[in-house]
Amino acid sequence: MTLDKYNQKRNFNFTEEPKGENVKSKNDLIFIVQKHAASHLHYDFRLEMNGVLKSWAIPKGPSMNPNDKRLAIMVEDHPLSYKDFEGTIPEGHYGAGNVIVWDNGTYTLPEEQSKAATENKLKTDLEKGHIRFILNGKKLKGEFSLVKLKTKKENTWLLIKKKDTFAIESDILEENKSVISNLTLEEFEK
Ligand code: MN
């Protein structure tokens, strides 16, 4: 069960985060990016695959500039229901701090068409340590890659925007409102 780690890290009597259950959807494959004011502010990038969200924590956040390479630490799989989570993880609990959904949308792979083929290819390429995908979000658009670094540290990847018609040099993080509540993280209070 790939959500065991997710469930072990959390006490659902205290956090508002959803319980980890593997739920396959029939809809298009989705991605989300959450902005998370934990002890260190970061962005959580998540891609749907086989009923869970494969997840990376990106300290500096994603960039639409192909010259930027953003460190992305692969973390535990999250449940698909996490896609709508905005809220406050309480003090003293794993990931304590406020979370907003900074971007969301669907994704495809450059070559694959069907959902099953896409998920199979993604799984194989994740194991190889190099994935390419096309985001159709409100902020993030076009092709990106995630490349695993061959360092001693497991789980260290780089997120890089491909040069395409969607690439821009300006800082996409300046668009700082939630795509759900339309609030910034600072404005967001429960
Ligand atoms: Mn996080």
Side-chain angles (χ1 to χ4, degrees):
M1 286 295 290
T2 68
L3 291 170
D4 286 353
K5 265 193 199 160
Y6 173 89
N7 286 323
Q8 282 160 12
K9 284 172 184 280
R10 292 168 175 80
N11 182 336
F12 297 101
N13 295 323
F14 292 96
T15 183
E16 300 165 3
E17 295 164 286
K19 266 189 194 153
E21 291 171 310
N22 189 311
V23 182
K24 283 214 169 197
S25 87
K26 292 200 170 68
N27 303 324
D28 290 343
L29 290 160
I30 60 134
F31 83 95
I32 62 160
V33 182
Q34 278 151 325
K35 188 176 178 183
H36 183 184
S39 51
H40 295 281
L41 179 73
H42 61 272
Y43 292 73
D44 290 296
F45 180 75
R46 311 190 195 279
L47 279 179
E48 178 184 354
M49 189 192 86
N50 295 335
V52 299
L53 295 169
K54 305 304 290 184
S55 296
W56 290 260
I58 305 180
K60 290 188 174 171
S63 173
M64 290 292 287
N65 185 339
N67 296 321
D68 292 335
K69 294 180 171 62
R70 294 289 161 89
L71 183 68
I73 313 297
M74 194 183 226
V75 297
E76 78 275 16
D77 294 349
H78 279 52
L80 197 49
S81 52
Y82 212 86
K83 68 185 173 58
D84 301 314
F85 178 69
E86 287 200 336
T88 305
I89 302 170
E91 279 298 317
H93 291 269
Y94 179 69
N98 289 327
V99 177
I100 61 168
V101 179
W102 179 80
D103 197 16
N104 61 16
T106 57
Y107 81 89
T108 54
L109 299 191
E111 307 86 3
E112 302 299 330
Q113 300 296 321
S114 79
K115 184 168 179 175
T118 297
E119 289 179 303
N120 282 336
K121 172 97 165 104
L122 188 70
K123 189 167 190 295
T124 313
D125 287 353
L126 275 173
E127 283 158 12
K128 289 183 193 158
H130 188 172
I131 61 173
R132 292 162 58 223
F133 47 88
I134 298 163
L135 300 181
N136 179 24
K138 288 153 189 117
K139 298 183 177 102
L140 300 182
K141 294 174 196 290
E143 186 172 336
F144 289 78
S145 59
L146 266 165
V147 185
K148 191 175 184 190
L149 291 174
K150 291 185 178 73
T151 63
K152 281 182 195 151
K153 274 196 186 166
E154 268 309 285
N155 307 331
T156 310
W157 298 62
L158 292 175
L159 177 69
I160 307 161
K161 178 78 194 78
K162 186 188 162 88
K163 287 189 182 111
D164 61 16
T165 55
F166 296 104
I168 52 169
E169 285 186 9
S170 61
D171 184 3
I172 193 73
L173 301 180
E174 285 176 7
E175 294 181 34
N176 59 359
K177 287 181 195 289
S178 160
V179 292
I180 292 183
S181 60
N182 209 35
L183 300 173
T184 66
L185 195 51
E186 293 71 29
E187 291 163 348
F188 183 83
E189 283 178 354
K190 276 259 151 167

